[in-house]
Amino acid sequence: MKLAFFDTKPYDKPGFDEHIAGTDIEIKYFETRLGEDTVQLAKGFDGVCVFVNDTVNEKVINELYDLGVRVIALRCAGFNNVDTKACFGKLHVFRVPAYSPYAVAEHAMALLLTVNRHTNKAYIRTRDFNFSLSGLTGFDLHGKTVGVIGTGKIGRIFAGICKGFGMRVLAYDKFPNPDSGLDYVELPELLRQADVISLHCPLTDETRHMIDADAIAQMKPGVVLVNTSRGGLVDTEALIEGLKCHKIGAACLDVYEEEGDLFYEDCSEEIVADDTLVRLISMPNVIVTSHQAFLTKEALSNIAATTVDNLLKFERGEPSPDTEVCYHCERKETCRKTRDQKCF
Ligand code: NAI
């Protein structure tokens, strides 16, 4: 199998090279992203491997199909950048549902601790021999209420970490897990009570902008918002307004609605044209990381292992119901995945 690997970063290669050793998979690494302008690079390949900011819309999918590509291997969990309906019957799409939920949950806590205790500023100050503490006051997490929205793999681990800090955890999920031991409340109740709100649900039509002006209006003054999930969950303009009027005390953002053209790239020599992001980064109580919550050695190795396994199963024609995405063909009664473990 020949695989075109898009949006390659130096940290991607070691894990993949190790895991394809001894298989018949050959990888050509492209630094460019997959999109309408670059899709022709996939000519002569059987599959493409993509990440969160590659564009896999209907046009790209149809061109991939015409070029003879038959499989899309996402090396991430989320698949909101893939038009899965357009793939149905043409290209099989696999993802890595879990690689290290600990990596993401721990990063969410790292961001919360950083923004609260200002360790980012303290580090810069002491390097300049400025030992003043003015402006570095935080608050005890112990005894505060955290609202966890989305209690899947990552949300539950984050809730556990918060419990370790002595926080009271409230949870909201569209599909509450009765075995999680979590205290579920309706979303408005969570928004009303939480001192810290952390987002851990997927981006769907339903969850897009779930944190909008109306939701922010219901929150406690001074609330800290943490988003390590997907940027589209938050209406960024509403967030900025919330920060400007001090309703939101701080924001920790590993993801951003319009991150596609910027995140993972070095733009330090450029004038960044996205005024919204620049405004956010300029605020002293906002911390932005570049969609890096997943980035641990363990996660990278698991991503490579699962992706290679997905491709080998595809080659052998074996079903992989846990990692092949559902194409939402809407044939509910005759759903083939339910019957045969494969959509097509
Ligand atoms: P998961 O599938 O285990 O859990 C998602 C949870 O969200 C489920 O419990 C589900 O019932 C819930 N949910 C679905 N729709 C909802 C709604 N409308 N309202 C409230 N809850 C809803 O997913 P996992 O592994 O915990 O990942 C969560 C998200 O984290 C992913 O969707 C992805 O967007 C993001 N992520 C971010 C990474 C990063 O590097 N920043 C890395 C990996 C994942």
Side-chain angles (χ1 to χ4, degrees):
M1 170 179 293
K2 292 181 78 184
L3 186 71
F5 196 105
F6 286 89
D7 202 10
T8 309
K9 296 287 181 269
Y11 48 77
D12 289 318
K13 287 188 191 175
F16 273 87
D17 286 343
E18 185 191 329
H19 283 91
I20 59 168
T23 74
D24 75 339
I25 298 174
E26 269 175 49
I27 298 183
K28 167 101 177 150
Y29 292 103
F30 293 104
E31 285 185 16
T32 184
R33 287 187 183 156
L34 178 62
E36 292 179 14
D37 298 340
T38 56
V39 62
Q40 287 298 323
L41 290 170
K43 191 173 175 185
F45 290 89
D46 307 296
V48 294
C49 183
V50 300
F51 198 47
V52 293
N53 288 324
D54 291 284
T55 304
V56 199
N57 60 20
E58 189 173 3
K59 188 160 185 264
V60 170
I61 288 158
N62 289 336
E63 285 197 46
L64 286 173
Y65 184 70
D66 290 345
L67 291 170
V69 173
R70 291 294 175 264
V71 59
I72 298 173
L74 283 152
R75 52 183 192 279
C76 52
F79 52 92
N80 52 286
N81 56 331
V82 180
D83 184 339
T84 50
K85 275 191 187 161
C87 289
F88 181 65
K90 291 181 176 167
L91 285 132
H92 290 264
V93 184
F94 296 88
R95 67 186 185 113
V96 185
Y99 35 89
S100 174
Y102 301 99
V104 183
E106 288 171 13
H107 190 75
M109 180 48 89
L111 290 179
L112 174 58
L113 289 170
T114 304
V115 88
N116 176 28
R117 302 305 299 272
H118 312 289
T119 40
N120 50 340
K121 293 179 198 166
Y123 169 78
I124 290 165
R125 278 192 196 179
T126 55
R127 284 176 67 89
D128 202 24
F129 302 102
N130 173 356
F131 301 110
S132 157
L133 298 184
S134 301
L136 301 187
T137 308
F139 60 84
D140 287 6
L141 291 181
H142 182 91
K144 297 295 184 303
T145 299
V146 59
V148 178
I149 299 181
T151 57
K153 293 173 285 297
I154 297 169
R156 287 207 300 278
I157 291 166
F158 182 73
I161 293 172
C162 291
K163 284 185 181 170
F165 274 77
M167 301 182 83
R168 173 179 169 243
V169 178
L170 293 181
Y172 168 73
D173 197 298
K174 192 177 173 193
F175 308 101
N177 179 344
D179 303 325
S180 64
L182 289 168
D183 189 2
Y184 284 99
V185 291
E186 289 304 316
L187 185 57
E189 188 62 18
L190 181 149
L191 298 176
R192 204 174 58 74
Q193 290 203 36
D195 302 291
V196 175
I197 294 175
S198 195
L199 307 179
H200 299 288
C201 58
L203 177 62
T204 62
D205 289 344
E206 198 179 351
T207 61
R208 186 174 298 280
H209 286 189
M210 74 188 306
I211 304 299
D212 59 7
D214 180 48
I216 291 169
Q218 298 175 58
M219 294 177 189
K220 256 187 174 176
V223 63
V224 180
L225 181 70
V226 183
N227 187 7
T228 55
S229 204
R230 283 291 181 269
L233 297 176
V234 177
D235 176 346
T236 314
E237 294 301 334
L239 171 65
I240 289 175
E241 284 310 309
L243 286 157
K244 277 165 72 179
C245 69
H246 306 289
K247 178 77 182 220
I248 296 187
C252 308
L253 308 173
D254 185 51
V255 286
Y256 165 61
E257 268 188 288
E258 303 298 333
E259 68 181 49
D261 291 337
L262 294 164
F263 281 19
Y264 302 127
E265 306 305 325
D266 178 1
C267 304
S268 59
E269 300 294 319
E270 294 168 25
I271 306 296
V272 171
D274 184 333
D275 290 347
T276 307
L277 182 63
V278 171
R279 181 76 173 110
L280 276 174
I281 289 175
S282 76
M283 294 188 183
N285 50 351
V286 174
I287 178 156
V288 175
T289 51
S290 179
H291 206 140
Q292 73 168 76
F294 73 98
L295 195 61
T296 65
K297 280 189 280 189
E298 291 80 0
L300 289 173
S301 176
N302 290 339
I303 287 169
T306 305
T307 305
V308 170
D309 189 54
N310 286 341
L311 291 165
L312 293 174
K313 280 190 175 141
F314 168 76
E315 248 192 332
R316 295 194 294 258
E318 283 174 26
S320 185
D322 296 336
T323 60
E324 180 160 5
V325 302
C326 173
Y327 303 92
H328 302 291
C329 62
E330 284 161 11
R331 290 188 300 182
K332 289 192 179 63
E333 296 76 32
T334 56
C335 171
R336 260 193 74 179
K337 194 169 183 190
T338 314
R339 200 185 61 213
D340 303 338
Q341 300 190 300
K342 281 184 99 162
C343 291
F344 65 94

